[in-house]
Amino acid sequence: MPPFPPDIEAEIRFLAADEGGRHTPARSGYRPQFYYDGHDWDAHQEYPDVEWVQPGETARTLLWFLSPDAHLGRVHVGMEFEVREGARVVGRGRVTKILNLAESAERVRGKR
């Protein structure tokens, strides 16, 4: 888990294997791409309520963006996105809360 608070909270449904999704479960620390508006972004995921998320299951997810400043003003509550491994969609999600995105963006800007 990163040493600072998460940027957003989302609900993600992982596609079942027969839908083209993963064949194995995901666990906290998973880092697939967060895809929206035609771009892939790196995001660290944590699942605070479960140890493993099986294909076909839905989980509350905390996300940390590697480039939070790129998402400020673009990511919003209710926004839908895809979870991808390369070009393969393995899940679909919806942003449920903006948590510390502005603070993360400011922290990153201060380091540049």
Side-chain angles (χ1 to χ4, degrees):
M1 182 179 315
F4 38 86
D7 298 322
I8 66 171
E9 179 180 290
E11 183 177 86
I12 296 175
R13 180 186 175 276
F14 285 89
L15 302 179
D18 63 357
E19 297 173 296
R22 295 173 55 90
H23 292 267
T24 58
R27 67 183 301 176
S28 289
Y30 179 49
R31 256 182 62 181
Q33 287 79 46
F34 181 92
Y35 179 83
Y36 72 98
D37 286 347
H39 297 281
D40 280 314
W41 303 93
D42 289 322
H44 174 92
Q45 297 185 5
E46 296 282 330
Y47 312 109
D49 304 323
V50 296
E51 185 173 352
W52 297 94
V53 184
Q54 299 292 330
E57 290 183 343
T58 300
R60 182 172 71 101
T61 308
L62 301 174
L63 293 102
W64 288 257
F65 293 117
L66 270 60
S67 53
D69 53 330
H71 305 285
L72 198 57
R74 296 178 67 201
V75 171
H76 55 87
V77 172
M79 183 183 96
E80 295 183 353
F81 60 91
E82 292 179 342
V83 176
R84 299 187 353 162
E85 292 179 356
R88 183 173 69 139
V89 176
V90 297
R92 299 190 194 293
R94 184 178 56 82
V95 176
T96 55
K97 294 180 186 173
I98 303 296
L99 300 171
N100 299 286
L101 185 57
E103 294 85 349
S104 293
E106 190 61 36
R107 183 183 66 253
V108 169
R109 288 180 187 147
K111 291 182 179 181
R112 291 186 184 150

Tab-separated table of all heavy atoms in Angstrom, residues 30-35 39-42 82-90:
chain	number	residue	atom	x	y	z
A	30	TYR	N	-2.484	-5.094	-6.923
A	30	TYR	CA	-2.664	-5.292	-8.367
A	30	TYR	C	-2.532	-3.933	-9.056
A	30	TYR	O	-3.038	-2.922	-8.559
A	30	TYR	CB	-4.056	-5.894	-8.572
A	30	TYR	CG	-4.514	-6.176	-9.971
A	30	TYR	CD1	-3.723	-6.862	-10.882
A	30	TYR	CD2	-5.783	-5.781	-10.362
A	30	TYR	CE1	-4.200	-7.147	-12.163
A	30	TYR	CE2	-6.274	-6.063	-11.629
A	30	TYR	CZ	-5.465	-6.744	-12.534
A	30	TYR	OH	-5.935	-7.025	-13.786
A	31	ARG	N	-1.820	-3.895	-10.197
A	31	ARG	CA	-1.606	-2.626	-10.902
A	31	ARG	C	-1.910	-2.737	-12.390
A	31	ARG	O	-1.031	-2.644	-13.228
A	31	ARG	CB	-0.167	-2.167	-10.713
A	31	ARG	CG	-0.099	-1.052	-9.730
A	31	ARG	CD	1.253	-0.518	-9.515
A	31	ARG	NE	1.856	0.067	-10.699
A	31	ARG	CZ	3.057	0.573	-10.701
A	31	ARG	NH1	3.789	0.559	-9.613
A	31	ARG	NH2	3.554	1.092	-11.790
A	32	PRO	N	-3.179	-2.905	-12.740
A	32	PRO	CA	-3.560	-2.902	-14.153
A	32	PRO	C	-3.675	-1.451	-14.636
A	32	PRO	O	-3.387	-0.515	-13.887
A	32	PRO	CB	-4.931	-3.564	-14.126
A	32	PRO	CG	-5.503	-3.075	-12.829
A	32	PRO	CD	-4.333	-3.069	-11.865
A	33	GLN	N	-4.115	-1.277	-15.855
A	33	GLN	CA	-4.349	0.071	-16.366
A	33	GLN	C	-5.786	0.504	-16.052
A	33	GLN	O	-6.702	-0.291	-16.111
A	33	GLN	CB	-4.128	0.144	-17.887
A	33	GLN	CG	-2.683	0.072	-18.300
A	33	GLN	CD	-2.176	-1.354	-18.280
A	33	GLN	OE1	-2.816	-2.266	-18.761
A	33	GLN	NE2	-1.020	-1.548	-17.683
A	34	PHE	N	-5.913	1.775	-15.761
A	34	PHE	CA	-7.185	2.452	-15.530
A	34	PHE	C	-7.445	3.185	-16.841
A	34	PHE	O	-6.701	4.094	-17.207
A	34	PHE	CB	-6.999	3.423	-14.356
A	34	PHE	CG	-8.205	4.204	-13.954
A	34	PHE	CD1	-9.045	3.723	-12.964
A	34	PHE	CD2	-8.477	5.443	-14.510
A	34	PHE	CE1	-10.149	4.467	-12.552
A	34	PHE	CE2	-9.574	6.191	-14.106
A	34	PHE	CZ	-10.410	5.699	-13.120
A	35	TYR	N	-8.476	2.771	-17.593
A	35	TYR	CA	-8.676	3.268	-18.949
A	35	TYR	C	-9.930	4.118	-19.051
A	35	TYR	O	-11.025	3.677	-18.693
A	35	TYR	CB	-8.781	2.081	-19.911
A	35	TYR	CG	-9.001	2.465	-21.345
A	35	TYR	CD1	-7.937	2.826	-22.168
A	35	TYR	CD2	-10.275	2.474	-21.886
A	35	TYR	CE1	-8.139	3.181	-23.491
A	35	TYR	CE2	-10.495	2.827	-23.212
A	35	TYR	CZ	-9.416	3.183	-24.003
A	35	TYR	OH	-9.620	3.532	-25.315
A	39	HIS	N	-7.333	6.704	-23.062
A	39	HIS	CA	-5.975	6.594	-22.532
A	39	HIS	C	-5.891	5.570	-21.405
A	39	HIS	O	-6.808	5.452	-20.600
A	39	HIS	CB	-5.497	7.949	-21.979
A	39	HIS	CG	-5.413	9.013	-23.016
A	39	HIS	ND1	-4.376	9.122	-23.904
A	39	HIS	CD2	-6.263	10.025	-23.307
A	39	HIS	CE1	-4.582	10.159	-24.702
A	39	HIS	NE2	-5.734	10.714	-24.363
A	40	ASP	N	-4.770	4.876	-21.358
A	40	ASP	CA	-4.450	3.973	-20.250
A	40	ASP	C	-3.625	4.742	-19.226
A	40	ASP	O	-2.703	5.484	-19.591
A	40	ASP	CB	-3.603	2.792	-20.742
A	40	ASP	CG	-4.420	1.719	-21.414
A	40	ASP	OD1	-5.467	1.350	-20.865
A	40	ASP	OD2	-3.993	1.237	-22.477
A	41	TRP	N	-3.947	4.544	-17.949
A	41	TRP	CA	-3.209	5.172	-16.857
A	41	TRP	C	-2.847	4.093	-15.840
A	41	TRP	O	-3.637	3.191	-15.598
A	41	TRP	CB	-4.067	6.235	-16.170
A	41	TRP	CG	-4.545	7.285	-17.095
A	41	TRP	CD1	-5.735	7.305	-17.774
A	41	TRP	CD2	-3.851	8.466	-17.477
A	41	TRP	NE1	-5.816	8.438	-18.550
A	41	TRP	CE2	-4.672	9.166	-18.376
A	41	TRP	CE3	-2.609	9.002	-17.147
A	41	TRP	CZ2	-4.301	10.378	-18.938
A	41	TRP	CZ3	-2.244	10.217	-17.706
A	41	TRP	CH2	-3.069	10.887	-18.595
A	42	ASP	N	-1.694	4.214	-15.230
A	42	ASP	CA	-1.299	3.268	-14.187
A	42	ASP	C	-1.965	3.656	-12.879
A	42	ASP	O	-1.980	4.831	-12.509
A	42	ASP	CB	0.219	3.259	-14.003
A	42	ASP	CG	0.938	2.623	-15.172
A	42	ASP	OD1	0.408	1.625	-15.699
A	42	ASP	OD2	2.009	3.110	-15.552
A	82	GLU	N	-12.656	1.406	-17.610
A	82	GLU	CA	-12.314	-0.002	-17.794
A	82	GLU	C	-11.026	-0.302	-17.041
A	82	GLU	O	-10.167	0.572	-16.868
A	82	GLU	CB	-12.103	-0.328	-19.272
A	82	GLU	CG	-13.371	-0.245	-20.085
A	82	GLU	CD	-13.155	-0.541	-21.561
A	82	GLU	OE1	-12.003	-0.484	-22.040
A	82	GLU	OE2	-14.150	-0.832	-22.235
A	83	VAL	N	-10.897	-1.541	-16.628
A	83	VAL	CA	-9.657	-2.058	-16.056
A	83	VAL	C	-9.061	-2.938	-17.138
A	83	VAL	O	-9.736	-3.848	-17.642
A	83	VAL	CB	-9.924	-2.870	-14.771
A	83	VAL	CG1	-8.648	-3.473	-14.235
A	83	VAL	CG2	-10.602	-1.985	-13.727
A	84	ARG	N	-7.814	-2.653	-17.525
A	84	ARG	CA	-7.219	-3.374	-18.638
A	84	ARG	C	-5.856	-3.937	-18.271
A	84	ARG	O	-5.139	-3.371	-17.460
A	84	ARG	CB	-7.067	-2.448	-19.857
A	84	ARG	CG	-8.398	-1.942	-20.310
A	84	ARG	CD	-8.477	-1.167	-21.575
A	84	ARG	NE	-7.284	-0.769	-22.280
A	84	ARG	CZ	-7.273	-0.388	-23.542
A	84	ARG	NH1	-8.387	-0.372	-24.245
A	84	ARG	NH2	-6.163	-0.001	-24.126
A	85	GLU	N	-5.547	-5.049	-18.882
A	85	GLU	CA	-4.207	-5.634	-18.859
A	85	GLU	C	-3.750	-5.585	-20.307
A	85	GLU	O	-4.217	-6.374	-21.136
A	85	GLU	CB	-4.241	-7.064	-18.341
A	85	GLU	CG	-4.592	-7.156	-16.873
A	85	GLU	CD	-4.643	-8.589	-16.360
A	85	GLU	OE1	-4.478	-9.545	-17.155
A	85	GLU	OE2	-4.858	-8.746	-15.151
A	86	GLY	N	-2.937	-4.594	-20.631
A	86	GLY	CA	-2.615	-4.359	-22.031
A	86	GLY	C	-3.886	-3.901	-22.731
A	86	GLY	O	-4.588	-3.033	-22.243
A	87	ALA	N	-4.208	-4.509	-23.866
A	87	ALA	CA	-5.420	-4.135	-24.605
A	87	ALA	C	-6.645	-4.926	-24.147
A	87	ALA	O	-7.759	-4.644	-24.584
A	87	ALA	CB	-5.193	-4.358	-26.100
A	88	ARG	N	-6.461	-5.902	-23.254
A	88	ARG	CA	-7.568	-6.772	-22.830
A	88	ARG	C	-8.322	-6.162	-21.655
A	88	ARG	O	-7.748	-5.842	-20.617
A	88	ARG	CB	-7.025	-8.138	-22.442
A	88	ARG	CG	-8.122	-9.120	-22.054
A	88	ARG	CD	-7.563	-10.488	-21.834
A	88	ARG	NE	-6.746	-10.518	-20.638
A	88	ARG	CZ	-6.732	-11.505	-19.755
A	88	ARG	NH1	-7.457	-12.580	-19.973
A	88	ARG	NH2	-5.971	-11.448	-18.706
A	89	VAL	N	-9.626	-6.005	-21.805
A	89	VAL	CA	-10.477	-5.506	-20.721
A	89	VAL	C	-10.737	-6.657	-19.756
A	89	VAL	O	-11.242	-7.708	-20.148
A	89	VAL	CB	-11.815	-4.961	-21.276
A	89	VAL	CG1	-12.739	-4.533	-20.142
A	89	VAL	CG2	-11.561	-3.808	-22.234
A	90	VAL	N	-10.390	-6.447	-18.479
A	90	VAL	CA	-10.602	-7.483	-17.467
A	90	VAL	C	-11.615	-7.055	-16.413
A	90	VAL	O	-11.991	-7.835	-15.551
A	90	VAL	CB	-9.273	-7.917	-16.796
A	90	VAL	CG1	-8.344	-8.548	-17.820
A	90	VAL	CG2	-8.599	-6.760	-16.085
